[in-house]
Amino acid sequence: MNAKIDTGLSKADRTDVAQELTKVLADSFAVYLKTHGYHWNVRGPEFFSFHNLLEQQYRDIWAALDDIAERVRALGVLAPQSYSAFGNLTAIKDGDPEKDAQAMLKELMQDHETLIATARKAFEAADAAGDEASADLMTQRLAAHEKFAWMLRSTLGER
Ligand SMILES: [Fe+2]
């Protein structure tokens, strides 16, 4: 059975918005993976504060992955679920456990900025389509990643 989806959004709009959300999902997955990895591998006299800061961030991103993927499904599109599918959808580079703590935090700060740009594009697509639920989710993700970027920036001693 292939029931028609009648939620007030056209198939073209649902497909367009889902495509942008899928890019946000892939960037979020990559930033999640790197943040959790740096939580494990960060080293130095400020280990505990960095370790805990990164835990707070990866837990939030982990929860958001489910919200974003399920929003894609609600739009009638399949969510990507393999490492290779995620790898093809994101511009975020893999982390490097050999880096020192400052370099790890700086890299993550820049990754949040990349993710923010992706989420802003998805917000604009959702807004243009009149898809309030996706726009609302992207608004929440923008607020979260702008906050994380600020926390990392401040931890690095920058404004
Ligand atoms: Fe842990």
Side-chain angles (χ1 to χ4, degrees), residues 101-118:
Q102 296 289 311
M104 286 181 178
L105 299 186
K106 184 160 184 227
E107 184 189 1
L108 283 173
M109 183 191 69
Q110 289 165 340
D111 289 340
H112 284 289
E113 290 174 351
T114 300
L115 211 169
I116 286 163
T118 309

Side-chain angles (χ1 to χ4, degrees), residues 123-138:
F123 171 85
E124 281 159 14
D127 196 40
D131 176 355
E132 295 89 352
S134 297
D136 178 58
L137 179 58
M138 289 303 97

Side-chain angles (χ1 to χ4, degrees), residues 36 39-40 51 55 58-59:
H36 207 153
H39 161 83
W40 296 327
H51 180 73
E55 175 162 350
Y58 79 66
R59 284 182 183 275

Side-chain angles (χ1 to χ4, degrees), residues 150 153-154 156-159:
W150 154 57
R153 219 163 43 236
S154 289
L156 287 162
E158 293 169 25
R159 287 192 189 211

Side-chain angles (χ1 to χ4, degrees), residues 14 17-29 60-82 85-86 89 122 131 133-134 137-138 141:
R14 285 189 284 105
V17 174
Q19 191 177 10
E20 297 306 317
L21 290 179
T22 297
K23 293 176 195 164
V24 177
L25 177 65
D27 278 2
S28 300
F29 192 83
D60 172 276
I61 304 168
W62 177 255
L65 292 175
D66 204 49
D67 293 337
I68 301 163
E70 292 185 358
R71 183 65 206 153
V72 170
R73 294 295 299 122
L75 290 167
V77 176
L78 294 177
Q81 62 165 74
S82 67
F86 282 123
L89 284 162
D131 176 355
S134 297
L137 179 58
M138 289 303 97
R141 296 321 300 155

